[in-house]
Amino acid sequence: MARKPKAHAASHTPLVLGHDIISKPQTIRVDGVRAAGLEASRRRINFTTIVVAGLFFIVGVRLIELAVRGSGDDSRIAAASINQAIHRPDIVDRNGEVMATDIVTASLFVDARYVIDPQEAAHELVGVLPDLNEADVEKKFASGRPFIWLKRDLTPRQQYAVHNLGIPGLEFQREQKRVYPNGAAASMILGMVDIDNKGTAGMERYIDRTGDLLNKPGDLTATPVSMEGESGNASSGIRDSGAVMLSIDVRVQYVLRDELEKGVEEFHAKAAGGMVMDMYTGEVLGMVSLPDFDPNNPNLSDDNAHFNRMTLGVYEMGSVMKTFTFAAALDSGAVKINNSFDATHALKVSRFTISDFHAERRWLTVPEIYMYSSNIGSARMALAMGRQEHQLYLRKMGLLSRPRSELPEEGDPLVPANWTDLSTMTIAFGHGLSVAPIQVVQATCAVLNGGFRIQPTFLRRSGPALGERILSAQTSNEMRELMRLVVTNGTGKKADVPGYPVMGKTGTAEKAGKGGYAKKKLLTSFLSAFPANDPRYVLLVMFDEPNPTPTTYGYATAGWNAAPVTSKVVQRIAPLLGVRPVDQMMENPLIEAKLVTNGGAGD
Amino acid sequence: MISLSRTNRGAIAEWWWTVDKWTLLALILLMVVGAVLTLAASPAVAMRIHLSPFHFVYRQAIFYPPAIAILIGVSLLPVRQVRRVATMVFLIAYVLMVMTLLFGPEVKGATRWLQLGPIAIQPSEFVKPSFIVVTAWMFSEGMKSRRFPGTIIALALYTCVVAVLALQPDFGQLMLVTLAFGAIFFMAGLNWFWIVLLAVVAIGGAVAAYTFVPHVASRIDRFAHPASGDTYQVDKALDAFHAGGLFGRGPGEGEVKRILPDAHTDFIFAVGAEEFGIAAGLLIIGLFSFITLRSLGRAGEETDPFVQLSACGLTMLFGMQALINMAVNVNLMPAKGMTLPFISYGGSSLIALAYTMGMLLAFTRVRAGRQSASATVRGVFA
């Protein structure tokens, strides 16, 4: 095998091939040969030395890398920090008001090896912490294990009391606890955290999922711009503190929730929802879904109270969807604002009959169809435009796909798998397509802001964020006229506010149940925008199964519940948002609409 | 300063002029670093398991004087004596190691320890270096005389040692012994056919360990896929390096030592880096690489194959143990139960290391026939 020819030559011993594992000189008696063998060993030693030196070098470089850069995998480390709750950034509203913050609390655990008399100790401890189960505590004390949680997040008073018991083995662990000073007010937006301070829902979960959020706070926590003199508490330190600034205005949020709560009580509704969005920036200023929960004690509420009806729930919204049918039909050019359609008789398509709730039984002009909320007229308009065009517009308005805001709780719209002409006809007046309310608000922004698509967001934006144009400015202006008309002359009269003109559209949908639509189970909504002279904010108010009351003369339709609540909300939030009141209401909506047109999309 | 005349032929004087003083200095420095880090890391561990804070410190401190005595005492011996001692230690320690299988108490799922009166020893610590010296002897005899089956004996001894280590089980030591044995086999002139063959066998062994030994499999899985299991110790160690930065949090300011169960043994490197920064980490790496590379270099200059192979094997044993421990600490390797030589807590280990490095120092002493001399010899005969 590998053998030095020199060694071979020097030796006279016959070779035995095949069993010499070590290649070596035949003899070491010849000094030259021995030197050659040593030379070979030396080369191999040198080779080994270089390899070992390389390994030491690698460890050294890795050490420097670790010290400078960290392990590079922060999520893994975060997951491993079991006992150390994660420090979370504060969440503040658009004016810098704190909506969520961390405080330091103490949690109680026992090192059971030190407990002298488990029974007596358990009895004493339950005496000061009565919500603990005595038998359970005693079992823990008797277990002999070095670490068992007894109770998380003690109040200072409880800590003091436990401390005073002087039971050996009881110890406190300092922890971060998330606190929501506004309680349930913004629970659907903020979400919540688990016992280890990890975000499990809402914006809290978003913060956790966006790992780099904390590394570049500048993007998300722009210094609050003072808007129309409402700056108030915005302190300059917010950016430095790394807080996450939301688009929410806590005051708007409070008002919205307050009025919706009163509405739920008045109409004995099962649930309610509301949302305010800035139609130029896409910022959500307030969002409420009732029933809701207190994020400080999320476990006290049932699943129903954790369900976000505005983003996760999808509904057949009813007549408010006519807004998009009209915008599409007018923009496509298939229908002109002065056209008329036959609404004399109910429309029969195969086994379905489309009829009107406020039946006029005559030919109706386009504004009349909208004003009286004629299903027949809407269906005919959609047919005039064609189902493909209809579908295309709905898609552009964002009604056929998930809105992809920051909230993790988002539902996919339910779009008919097989979109027939009948689908187009029913979708024209809001049945057959289920969308999340946030999508309705998002699409309305585009309809009214001059025709630009917007991306809804729960984070503060510094200015307008208009996307691609999807409707012409003329369509947008015509839609403004139509929506104002509903409030001045149509089904939404109760929504108006003196001084703060409102425009909008009612929607009363029969909820789909077993074997068809239930006549008595309604989903009412009022989709509106204000101020009508220069619309800027879109507001949606929605009630699930409201009941008639004596004051509504037995009606439970949107005009009798969602519309008046809208009026109350606008009355209270318009001044907060710095909307300038209009001195005198103009009687003729068309003149006013002209003013709107001339005013343009504005700032 | 000690003043010893170069013409003094006494044993001490001769040792002083011939021993590798730089390596000796580096070893003493390592022990100093070890003492400091044991002071830093072990009180936290001791308090956590409810011992007096300085329990480990005292227990370690009493081993320093005998360790230094053994280090210097062994390095005083001439090569022939070292070989004799190593052979005897090998036989005794091997028997003890077999006894651990029969009588040893089970600690963390393995029987590696033997209680001898008041002290617990891990016989495999002593088997390792003795085995290397004996093997080197066999190889070198085999090189001298064709009829002597040195290689066969060496392989047989290797099999015996590895078998016991696998039964204990102690895969860390097994890996070390294999690496050092492989290194001297390679240096003894193993031809490439066998190198490839043995490499295949080693890889096969690793695969078998992964397949048939659950805790090996779980450690490797956790290294490869951190999400698959508990990587708590390693994650905390990584945190510690980052928290330490360049100059550390400061003595006593470390956090990781309060958390890691093995802060004073397997993860003492991380504790040191957290409190004293990567500056200290680099110093430790520097000391280990200095000793290892310098000793390999000196071994390369030897002309006696036995001395050369022994010195290289012992150096590899020492250097690879340090490398593997540090590589685990910085998460370049899956977790292994391996301590950092002279720095981690452990009395039995400290004595065994003193014995190992004492032999190494004995082998790397300047003596007639070294390269500097043989170069001229070669020059004459070439």
Side-chain angles (χ1 to χ4, degrees):
Chain A
M1 302 177 96
R3 194 181 308 278
K4 296 264 182 304
K6 211 172 172 186
H8 198 162
S11 159
H12 301 289
T13 322
L15 283 175
V16 185
L17 288 170
H19 74 270
D20 52 342
I21 291 171
I22 293 177
S23 63
K24 62 192 170 193
Q26 285 293 307
T27 167
I28 56 156
R29 304 233 175 263
V30 179
D31 282 82
V33 172
R34 171 174 172 165
L38 282 172
E39 192 53 46
S41 297
R42 200 163 288 136
R43 271 205 305 274
R44 292 198 166 182
I45 291 175
N46 289 340
F47 173 76
T48 311
T49 309
I50 291 166
V51 171
V52 172
L55 294 175
F56 274 114
F57 182 74
I58 290 169
V59 172
V61 168
R62 168 73 172 162
L63 182 63
I64 294 170
E65 183 202 352
L66 279 181
V68 173
R69 199 174 57 85
S71 70
D73 191 353
D74 295 330
S75 62
R76 201 177 61 181
I77 288 167
S81 318
I82 303 155
N83 291 334
Q84 289 168 327
I86 301 151
H87 178 76
R88 311 184 60 80
D90 283 1
I91 300 179
V92 297
D93 87 336
R94 63 190 298 113
N95 301 318
E97 292 281 355
V98 172
M99 298 179 81
T101 188
D102 274 357
I103 58 166
V104 175
T105 64
S107 289
L108 182 68
F109 68 94
V110 64
D111 184 342
R113 293 172 302 179
Y114 291 105
V115 179
I116 298 159
D117 181 347
Q119 195 184 348
E120 191 195 333
H123 185 73
E124 282 183 22
L125 183 66
V126 174
V128 299
L129 299 176
D131 48 336
L132 293 180
N133 177 330
E134 189 171 332
D136 191 39
V137 171
E138 192 185 326
K139 212 162 79 188
K140 286 179 178 173
F141 281 179
S143 70
R145 282 167 50 197
F147 186 96
I148 307 177
W149 282 124
L150 291 171
K151 185 171 164 59
R152 304 290 280 265
D153 300 326
L154 273 68
T155 63
R157 187 166 299 173
Q158 287 171 322
Q159 278 180 56
Y160 181 74
V162 171
H163 186 79
N164 275 359
L165 292 178
I167 300 173
L170 287 185
E171 285 177 54
F172 293 107
Q173 164 101 37
R174 284 162 68 83
E175 286 194 298
Q176 306 277 355
K177 181 177 162 55
R178 199 65 162 164
V179 203
Y180 303 91
N182 300 311
S187 54
M188 287 300 166
I189 302 154
L190 294 171
M192 58 185 185
V193 296
D194 66 9
I195 192 83
D196 291 317
N197 232 13
K198 285 191 209 114
T200 55
M203 292 304 282
E204 295 281 21
R205 176 122 182 263
Y206 168 77
I207 289 170
D208 281 21
R209 289 207 305 196
T210 315
D212 55 335
L213 185 70
L214 308 178
N215 300 336
K216 39 177 187 179
D219 289 2
L220 295 163
T221 62
T223 313
V225 252
S226 118
M227 289 186 67
E228 287 126 354
E230 51 156 273
S231 75
N233 312 299
S235 73
S236 59
I238 286 165
R239 185 201 287 265
D240 302 330
S241 71
V244 175
M245 184 173 267
L246 301 187
S247 58
I248 303 300
D249 184 321
V250 162
R251 303 166 303 175
V252 171
Q253 180 72 19
Y254 261 116
V255 170
L256 190 58
R257 185 164 182 277
D258 185 45
E259 292 298 344
L260 284 173
E261 237 177 354
K262 286 181 191 160
V264 167
E265 206 171 311
E266 186 179 348
F267 305 114
H268 302 285
K270 245 176 77 180
M275 177 181 269
V276 186
M277 193 183 282
D278 183 319
M279 67 173 73
Y280 294 105
T281 65
E283 290 172 304
V284 178
L285 293 158
M287 182 182 80
V288 174
S289 167
L290 292 175
D292 55 8
F293 59 97
D294 181 355
N296 294 305
N297 288 303
N299 299 333
L300 298 181
S301 325
D302 59 9
D303 285 351
N304 183 35
H306 287 265
F307 182 73
N308 190 337
R309 291 175 163 73
M310 300 310 282
T311 59
L312 185 57
V314 292
Y315 305 93
E316 291 181 309
M317 294 292 292
S319 301
V320 295
M321 299 295 280
K322 285 175 187 153
T323 310
F324 313 119
T325 311
F326 276 61
L330 290 171
D331 199 65
S332 70
V335 173
K336 297 272 177 289
I337 191 91
N338 48 11
N339 285 157
S340 294
F341 290 87
D342 180 12
T344 322
H345 304 289
L347 199 56
K348 281 201 162 57
V349 187
S350 65
R351 64 190 176 89
F352 296 94
T353 307
I354 297 171
S355 56
D356 284 352
F357 182 78
H358 311 273
E360 295 283 322
R361 306 195 191 290
R362 60 182 172 92
W363 279 68
L364 296 171
T365 62
V366 168
E368 280 173 332
I369 295 173
Y370 195 70
M371 207 167 76
Y372 300 124
S373 202
S374 161
N375 294 342
I376 304 165
S378 303
R380 287 194 193 281
M381 280 174 69
L383 278 183
M385 157 175 53
R387 72 166 183 243
Q388 257 140 20
E389 198 80 340
H390 187 211
Q391 214 173 341
L392 182 73
Y393 271 102
L394 295 186
R395 177 162 295 123
K396 281 201 284 188
M397 285 188 254
L399 288 162
L400 304 186
S401 59
R402 217 196 271 198
R404 309 217 178 273
S405 70
E406 293 81 10
L407 285 191
E409 298 87 8
E410 273 190 358
D412 279 314
L414 298 178
V415 183
N418 181 20
W419 193 304
T420 59
D421 273 348
L422 178 62
S423 308
T424 277
M425 288 163 77
T426 59
I427 289 168
F429 56 86
H431 284 269
L433 171 67
S434 296
V435 296
I438 189 175
Q439 288 178 279
V440 173
V441 175
Q442 174 193 12
T444 309
C445 287
V447 168
L448 296 178
N449 71 8
F452 302 95
R453 198 183 165 132
I454 54 98
Q455 171 62 39
T457 182
F458 290 87
L459 292 172
R460 181 78 152 101
R461 281 200 178 128
S462 47
L466 298 175
E468 54 165 328
R469 175 180 281 283
I470 51 178
L471 298 169
S472 69
Q474 195 200 336
T475 306
S476 184
N477 285 332
E478 284 168 353
M479 288 311 298
R480 288 179 178 192
E481 290 177 36
L482 292 179
M483 286 181 78
R484 177 60 183 157
L485 208 56
V486 171
V487 175
T488 51
N489 298 28
T491 53
K493 290 187 184 122
K494 290 190 185 305
D496 213 8
V497 180
Y500 296 106
V502 175
M503 57 210 287
K505 178 76 191 83
T506 52
T508 304
E510 285 159 9
K511 285 172 76 179
K514 272 181 197 152
Y517 289 96
K519 281 271 174 228
K520 292 279 170 194
K521 293 191 171 178
L522 301 178
L523 183 82
T524 66
S525 53
F526 194 74
L527 173 65
S528 61
F530 64 92
N533 50 319
D534 181 11
R536 168 144 185 205
Y537 302 102
V538 174
L539 167 62
L540 177 70
V541 167
M542 180 176 122
F543 286 101
D544 189 358
E545 295 184 24
N547 291 297
T549 68
T551 52
T552 64
Y553 308 102
Y555 287 108
T557 50
W560 292 94
N561 42 56
V565 170
T566 296
S567 162
K568 286 176 191 155
V569 171
V570 173
Q571 268 177 48
R572 290 174 66 181
I573 67 173
L576 290 175
L577 292 170
V579 176
R580 216 169 302 158
V582 177
D583 286 342
Q584 72 196 70
M585 288 300 296
M586 280 166 249
E587 288 309 310
N588 187 341
L590 290 178
I591 296 172
E592 191 179 313
K594 272 217 183 63
L595 284 176
V596 171
T597 315
N598 297 338
D603 35 1
Chain B
M1 204 55 208
I2 311 167
S3 76
L4 289 168
S5 163
R6 276 185 188 272
T7 52
N8 186 339
R9 290 284 110 188
I12 300 286
E14 194 168 324
W15 173 79
W16 176 250
W17 290 116
T18 55
V19 78
D20 183 359
K21 285 189 276 294
W22 284 107
T23 299
L24 184 61
L25 177 68
L27 287 171
I28 305 270
L29 268 176
L30 273 185
M31 286 198 240
V32 172
V33 171
V36 171
L37 292 189
T38 302
L39 268 170
S42 75
V45 179
M47 293 193 348
R48 199 168 51 230
I49 57 178
H50 302 293
L51 298 168
S52 80
F54 289 95
H55 174 86
F56 292 117
V57 176
Y58 292 138
R59 282 181 66 110
Q60 185 74 343
I62 57 169
F63 281 101
Y64 278 111
I68 292 170
I70 288 172
L71 177 69
I72 291 173
V74 173
S75 71
L76 277 165
L77 300 175
V79 167
R80 210 172 260 278
Q81 297 267 12
V82 173
R83 194 162 70 194
R84 208 164 288 164
V85 169
T87 311
M88 278 162 54
V89 172
F90 176 70
L91 292 173
I92 296 168
Y94 187 76
V95 170
L96 291 176
M97 190 165 80
V98 173
M99 282 166 64
T100 61
L101 294 180
L102 307 171
F103 312 113
E106 189 167 312
V107 179
K108 294 183 188 169
T111 53
R112 302 167 184 176
W113 296 86
L114 214 54
Q115 195 72 33
L116 293 181
I119 50 168
I121 66 158
Q122 202 171 344
S124 56
E125 299 263 20
F126 293 88
V127 168
K128 265 188 310 183
S130 313
F131 163 74
I132 290 300
V133 173
V134 172
T135 317
W137 185 20
M138 292 302 117
F139 279 133
S140 64
E141 285 304 313
M143 288 162 90
K144 277 184 200 158
S145 154
R146 285 203 53 76
R147 275 164 308 189
F148 185 80
T151 310
I152 308 292
I153 297 177
L155 282 171
L157 288 176
Y158 171 72
T159 313
C160 294
V161 169
V162 162
V164 179
L165 287 177
L167 286 173
Q168 276 186 336
D170 190 345
F171 292 98
Q173 303 279 31
L174 192 152
M175 191 165 139
L176 261 189
V177 166
T178 305
L179 279 172
F181 177 76
I184 58 175
F185 207 170
F186 173 68
M187 291 167 188
L190 184 68
N191 70 40
W192 288 100
F193 171 76
W194 282 91
I195 292 173
V196 172
L197 188 71
L198 289 182
V200 169
V201 171
I203 292 166
V207 172
Y210 179 80
T211 314
F212 298 114
V213 185
H215 91 263
V216 171
S218 105
R219 280 186 174 180
I220 292 170
D221 287 345
R222 279 183 276 161
F223 177 73
H225 313 285
S228 71
D230 175 22
T231 54
Y232 187 64
Q233 293 227 58
V234 172
D235 291 337
K236 284 287 135 198
L238 291 180
D239 276 351
F241 288 109
H242 189 53
L246 189 53
F247 296 112
R249 290 174 183 251
E253 298 294 317
E255 300 271 327
V256 72
K257 61 186 183 187
R258 297 179 214 290
I259 303 167
L260 291 186
D262 295 334
H264 61 316
T265 56
D266 293 9
F267 284 96
I268 197 161
F269 187 61
V271 172
E274 186 185 18
E275 298 206 351
F276 302 100
I278 49 162
L282 291 176
L283 170 76
I284 293 170
I285 294 179
L287 284 171
F288 279 114
S289 58
F290 173 77
I291 295 169
T292 310
L293 300 178
R294 183 177 167 86
S295 299
L296 283 176
R298 279 176 81 99
E301 292 170 13
E302 288 293 339
T303 47
D304 182 330
F306 165 64
V307 172
Q308 196 174 51
L309 294 181
S310 303
C312 285
L314 295 173
T315 308
M316 289 301 283
L317 212 49
F318 171 81
M320 293 317 286
Q321 182 173 348
L323 261 178
I324 291 172
N325 175 278
M326 292 188 290
V328 167
N329 269 261
V330 296
N331 199 27
L332 285 175
M333 274 182 71
K336 278 250 126 277
M338 200 167 289
T339 56
L340 194 56
F342 289 108
I343 294 186
S344 290
Y345 168 80
S348 162
S349 147
L350 187 62
I351 299 292
L353 280 162
Y355 163 65
T356 309
M357 296 317 274
M359 291 199 291
L360 177 63
L361 286 174
F363 286 126
T364 56
R365 278 168 69 178
V366 181
R367 65 179 68 77
R370 279 176 51 105
Q371 165 88 58
S372 47
S374 73
T376 48
V377 174
R378 260 204 307 167
V380 171
F381 288 94

